[in-house]
Amino acid sequence: MNWHPFELHTHTPHSDGRHSLAEMAREAKQRGLAGLALTDHNTISGLAERVAVEEETEIVIIQGMEWTTFYGHMVTLGLKGYADWRDLGPDDIHKGIERVHSQGGLVGIAHPYALGSPICTGCHWDYRISDWNDVDYIEVWHETFPSIRMHNQPSLELWEGLLNQGFQICATSGRDWHGSKAGDGPEAATFLGLPSSEKLSEAGALQAIRSGAVSISMGPLLLCQVVLAGKSYGLGETVSIRDAAEGQEATVVVSLDFRVRPGAWTLESQPLSIILRSNLGNMAEVKLEPGEVEATCHLPVHGLKWLRADLYGVFHGVRTKIAFTNPVYFMNEK
């Protein structure tokens, strides 16, 4: 599996951004990104430059649009044309989701707990979801230095609460990139996992989000793998277990790749901590000393629905969460 860093929430002057698609793609390449999604507010006109910009920069550009409404913002990815939202009230979002899905697109809830009126009318998510199976992903991290943004914590809690209920919804990060200036905080990248034999493309990037092969980081790439009965399972995959006994254990391998996005982030040499989280709460803490990039532990599988990893350390002078993964899922087959 190859892991490709993306920025999935961006704007150009076709809505309220300050840099052209070409300028943004050039800067994305300097920041070590492999791709980005253009998600202007309520328009796809900025995508007219897409082919030329991809040829110039070799940055993969996902076609997108951010539905910007009075009841919330929904990021749509992979649309082949315009999907209208203007006739949808707070109870009608599933009609809109179907319009996106009918085009083969994905839908994601953007910054669900951002401040709403009067600070930012419509920025807070107020649409009523009757079936969370219709939602492809949630933007759990939003803006620069997302781990310290207060509105991201309830987004994380929403996501984990849905995982606990059995929904398999992908988590992503979005800078909400409108422009760049000196002093901007560190940004997170959404790493999308594609088979090593597959060339990076929009279709492959969308499939990675669909399947949950996604890890989010402001620094090194964090991965989590589960091994049970001689078979390995990665992010987004489902571990099949039969009548798990109280003491049955799986081997969990966590790893860090410090080679990603060289020059785009700095992390002082230090011991790092990885917390393994699940529907049962915190399962274990794994310590990595400077120079270590992998650790293994053994965890009981009884009662597990999902398992994922968080990375903690001192980043830009703050002890904080640096990275987190999407889950490995568990299914008890009778």
Side-chain angles (χ1 to χ4, degrees), residues 177-196:
W177 200 1
H178 287 75
S180 303
K181 61 182 183 300
D184 282 347
E187 75 273 8
T190 300
F191 287 85
L192 307 180
L194 278 71
S196 301

Side-chain angles (χ1 to χ4, degrees), residues 265-280:
W265 53 274
T266 58
L267 182 64
E268 64 184 70
S269 180
Q270 61 181 294
L272 296 170
S273 175
I274 297 176
I275 304 292
L276 294 173
R277 285 188 54 74
S278 78
N279 56 293
L280 303 177

